[in-house]
Amino acid sequence: MSTWDDAYKGIPPPWDTGKPQDEFVMAGERGEVLGKVIDVGCGTGEHAIHFAKLGHAALGVDWSPTAIQKAVNKAQERGSDAEFLVWDALRLGSLGRKFDTALDSGLFHTFPDTERAAYVWSLGEAVRPGGGLLVLCFSENERADWGGPRRVTQQEIRDSFSEGWRVEYVRRARFQTRFHKDWGEAWLSRMIRSPEGSLR
C-alpha cells in the first residue's frame, strides 16, 4: 500500500494523464456506462468526475490516501459531486452498496495470480446482477521497453471472468499514459454480472 501511495507523491505517475481514458469516454457515448458508477482503483479521480458530470452517481475508490485526497481536491475545484473513499479493492462488498457499472482502468493487470480471483469476487459483490464492468488493461501486444505492469492476454481475461460473469467482448484498445508518445496496446473488456447464485 505504501508503494502505491508513494507513486502519487511528487510528479504524477505514468498512468495519471490528467484526463479520463478515451476508451471509457467512448464507452459512455456508446451507452455502456449506466446508472450508479464505481471506479475501482480510481487514482486521482478523472473517471468518476467525468461520469458525475454526465449525471451519474459516481464513487471512486483507491487504497492510496494521497490519490484520494487529490481526487477530492480536484472534484471540489471542478464543482463535481463525485464521491471518493480510501478503500481496498479486495473488499468492495464491505461498502454495502451495489452499482450498475464498475470501471477498472489499469488495476486488473496489477494483481498477481494469487489475488486475481479474490478481486473478481470482490467486483461481483459490488456490481448488481445484470450490471456491467469495463476493464482496460495492457495487452501482451504492448512492446514498450519502459517496464510497467504485467501484460495480460485475452484468454486470461476470459478465464478470470468465466464464473459469475458473461464476457460481452474483449477488443483491442488504446491505453494512454505519460510514457507513450501515442498510446499503449491494451484490451478493453466488457463483462455483464450474472445472477447472484452463479458466484462461487
Side-chain angles (χ1 to χ4, degrees):
M1 179 174 177
S2 60
T3 301
W4 286 112
D5 194 54
D6 289 344
Y8 287 98
K9 298 174 181 177
I11 62 172
W15 59 86
D16 187 359
T17 63
K19 66 185 188 72
Q21 291 284 335
D22 287 348
E23 295 288 356
F24 283 171
V25 173
M26 292 187 291
E29 293 170 350
R30 292 194 299 267
E32 295 177 357
V33 178
L34 304 170
K36 297 178 180 178
V37 175
I38 182 170
D39 181 15
V40 187
C42 68
T44 61
E46 291 294 342
H47 297 112
I49 291 171
H50 172 76
F51 286 108
K53 182 179 180 181
L54 296 178
H56 297 273
L59 169 66
V61 297
D62 201 291
W63 56 16
S64 164
T66 301
I68 290 297
Q69 187 58 58
K70 289 186 176 184
V72 169
N73 294 343
K74 190 183 297 184
Q76 291 175 345
E77 291 168 1
R78 299 183 189 178
S80 171
D81 60 1
E83 181 185 359
F84 296 98
L85 290 173
V86 177
W87 208 267
D88 185 348
L90 300 181
R91 297 178 54 251
L92 297 176
S94 298
L95 286 167
R97 298 161 66 174
K98 294 289 186 181
F99 298 86
D100 302 291
T101 306
L103 306 175
D104 174 332
S105 176
L107 181 60
F108 177 78
H109 61 206
T110 69
F111 284 106
D113 293 340
T114 54
E115 293 184 343
R116 184 175 284 175
Y119 176 53
V120 172
W121 172 275
S122 180
L123 288 167
E125 291 190 312
V127 177
R128 67 166 180 79
L133 165 67
L134 287 164
V135 175
L136 182 65
C137 62
F138 279 115
S139 79
E140 73 275 22
N141 299 315
E142 171 60 22
R143 301 303 181 198
D145 59 4
W146 59 277
R150 164 183 182 171
R151 278 54 162 170
V152 178
T153 68
Q154 180 174 169
Q155 192 59 50
E156 283 181 281
I157 296 169
R158 293 185 180 280
D159 289 346
S160 295
F161 292 93
S162 62
E163 295 182 2
W165 301 85
R166 173 174 59 83
V167 179
E168 188 169 81
Y169 65 72
V170 182
R171 62 176 61 149
R172 186 177 178 184
R174 301 176 176 185
F175 201 122
Q176 296 156 303
T177 77
R178 292 181 180 273
F179 279 6
H180 290 85
K181 292 181 180 179
D182 38 28
W183 60 81
E185 288 283 353
W187 296 118
L188 177 68
S189 310
R190 186 169 190 243
M191 278 67 74
I192 305 300
R193 175 75 164 77
S194 301
E196 292 279 357
S198 65
L199 276 179
R200 297 181 182 177

